[in-house]
Amino acid sequence: MNRRLLAALTTALLAGSLAACDSQTAVPAPNFTPCTVSHDQPMAFVVGARANVPKPEVPAAVNDLMTGVARAHKPITLVRLDGKPEYVFAEDAPAAAENPDTDAAQVQQYLNRMITAFREKIRAQTPEANVLRALTIASQKVGPGGTIVLMDSGLQTTAPLRFGEDNVLTADAAEVAAFLAKEKQLPDLSGRSVVLVGLGLTAPPQPELDPRWQGNVFDVWKSVVEAAGGCAAKVLHGSTAAAAVESPAVSVVQPPKPVEPKTCGTVELGEADNISFKPDSAEFRDPAGARTTLQRLADTMRAKKQKADLMGTTASVGPPAGRVELSGQRAAAVKSVLVDLGIAADTITTRGVGTNWPGHVTDLGPGDVLLPGPAAQNRKVVATLTCLEQ
């Protein structure tokens, strides 16, 4: 691991633990709203010191939590997050001593051994990143009532949750959790608090995610944690420095690129353009973002004196007739915004085709389980612009 990273981690952890042990004053548990954490419960710290994520920086509140847990004689577990996550520190908590000085010394020795594990074992060893597996093994150590701190970008690159290859980055968060539940791939997080640090923050060669996709990464993991029985909290802290290590390699997750409206022709308006819809609904997932995109489309239509044919589509959910009806409502939703932006209603036609169109992406897996990434891709409106004669 990068020596500067080791020094920073060691200094942060060691300084916090020494300060806590020098004082007999009780250290209050940090506030990780909406979750409740306690020093009287075990803790696991899951760290992605790997390629494609910034080098880890331990938030002060996390350091305080580790210190308090150790002083309460509860165990702390460190988990290395890579393609095959493993424990790098899983010792029993130090036994309490009647003599305060002896007790403090034993706690400090415990923390020192944990710091050594950080120094020598936290670096990624296996290609790719498996966040689900890391949460699973961390959960096994803390048990109900315990706390897991996940410090990583959250961009898993291994099955069953490949953010890139399976388009999970743009998927509906609730559908991702439902998919994992049906596939029996959810970790058991019942009664656990999961503190999420640095989700969506990346380092080259992983492209930077804009705020929308950063937010969706958090929403996905929040939904997964809650579906698994846990409580998810977000810490607004994270490093934007270069990755601590460059290998082993981790697959790059490419965020979608918006498509500019053509002067004439067909353009698919989907997730990258904020023209995506909530499942089984004609409501935009991001109404403000959709309006911004449609303002550009309206400007193009006005300047080029264009007509537009709007074709709505759906995922493979529900009966075919219902899909056609819903897809028509989605096309009508886009038209409504364009008319509100000053485009004449008689220059816009709408229709729904459900899933019956050449660009439909296969969104059902084995057993007809809905695949959340492809399903999100299929909830769109296809605009065909026709130039009017001058």
Side-chain angles (χ1 to χ4, degrees):
M1 181 182 288
N2 181 292
R3 291 186 177 182
R4 291 182 180 178
L5 169 62
L6 292 173
L9 287 171
T10 301
T11 300
L13 291 170
L14 190 56
S17 59
L18 283 172
C21 290
D22 285 344
S23 171
Q24 296 304 312
T25 304
V27 179
N31 179 17
F32 291 122
T33 305
C35 304
T36 300
V37 303
S38 171
H39 291 155
D40 294 323
Q41 296 291 337
M43 173 199 172
F45 191 25
V46 179
V47 181
R50 60 178 180 85
N52 297 15
V53 300
K55 66 180 181 182
E57 292 180 359
V58 182
V62 173
N63 187 54
D64 291 345
L65 176 63
M66 289 189 289
T67 300
V69 169
R71 290 188 63 200
H73 304 284
K74 300 298 180 181
I76 300 171
T77 302
L78 301 181
V79 177
R80 182 185 69 231
L81 199 169
D82 56 14
K84 187 179 179 181
E86 294 183 358
Y87 304 120
V88 299
F89 181 83
E91 292 186 16
D92 292 337
E98 294 185 4
N99 182 293
D101 291 337
T102 302
D103 188 82
Q106 290 182 171
V107 168
Q108 188 59 61
Q109 290 168 6
Y110 179 79
L111 288 169
N112 288 345
R113 292 193 297 274
M114 183 184 66
I115 292 166
T116 298
F118 249 113
R119 181 184 300 119
E120 299 177 354
K121 299 179 180 180
I122 202 66
R123 172 179 173 166
Q125 300 295 314
T126 305
E128 304 304 345
N130 190 338
V131 182
L132 277 175
R133 173 62 181 167
L135 289 176
T136 296
I137 66 174
S139 177
Q140 292 168 354
K141 286 293 185 182
V142 302
T147 302
I148 300 170
V149 176
L150 169 64
M151 183 180 293
D152 189 74
S153 70
L155 297 179
Q156 178 160 329
T157 60
T158 59
L161 203 61
R162 297 175 294 187
F163 270 71
E165 191 170 345
D166 296 333
N167 298 296
V168 175
L169 180 62
T170 60
D172 179 80
E175 284 192 340
V176 173
F179 166 75
L180 292 175
K182 289 180 181 179
E183 295 294 295
K184 302 187 185 303
Q185 295 286 349
L186 286 173
D188 180 8
L189 299 175
S190 300
R192 282 79 161 173
S193 293
V194 182
V195 181
L196 304 168
V197 183
L199 290 191
L201 297 180
T202 64
Q206 171 61 47
E208 182 178 353
L209 303 182
D210 68 27
R212 180 189 177 195
W213 303 128
Q214 287 184 16
N216 204 47
V217 174
F218 170 75
D219 290 343
V220 165
W221 286 111
K222 180 176 184 291
S223 293
V224 169
V225 168
E226 291 175 351
C231 175
K234 184 177 185 178
V235 173
L236 296 176
H237 171 100
S239 171
T240 56
V245 297
E246 297 179 356
S247 63
V250 178
S251 298
V252 168
V253 177
Q254 291 290 351
K257 297 180 180 179
V259 178
E260 289 298 322
K262 299 178 181 178
T263 302
C264 301
T266 299
V267 59
E268 296 182 14
L269 300 173
E271 313 97 323
D273 312 283
N274 298 310
I275 311 299
S276 56
F277 299 87
K278 295 181 179 180
D280 302 319
S281 170
E283 182 180 350
F284 296 113
R285 289 174 66 185
D286 180 4
R291 190 175 182 88
T292 298
T293 295
L294 293 176
Q295 179 68 69
R296 295 197 299 270
L297 179 60
D299 293 342
T300 299
M301 292 180 64
R302 190 179 296 109
K304 302 297 182 180
K305 298 182 180 180
Q306 293 171 313
K307 288 184 177 181
D309 175 69
L310 304 177
M311 181 183 74
T313 69
T314 69
S316 302
V317 179
R323 299 176 194 175
V324 172
E325 180 181 1
L326 176 59
S327 59
Q329 293 170 354
R330 287 172 174 168
V334 170
K335 176 178 178 177
S336 178
V337 176
L338 289 173
V339 171
D340 189 55
L341 292 171
I343 302 301
D346 62 3
T347 65
I348 305 172
T349 58
T350 64
R351 57 195 174 101
V353 296
T355 56
N356 187 25
W357 69 292
H360 176 76
V361 178
T362 300
D363 56 10
L364 294 177
D368 287 338
V369 174
L370 189 69
L371 305 175
Q377 288 182 289
N378 285 326
R379 299 184 183 109
K380 65 176 62 175
V381 169
V382 180
T384 301
L385 306 180
T386 305
C387 291
L388 298 176
E389 293 183 2
Q390 298 292 330

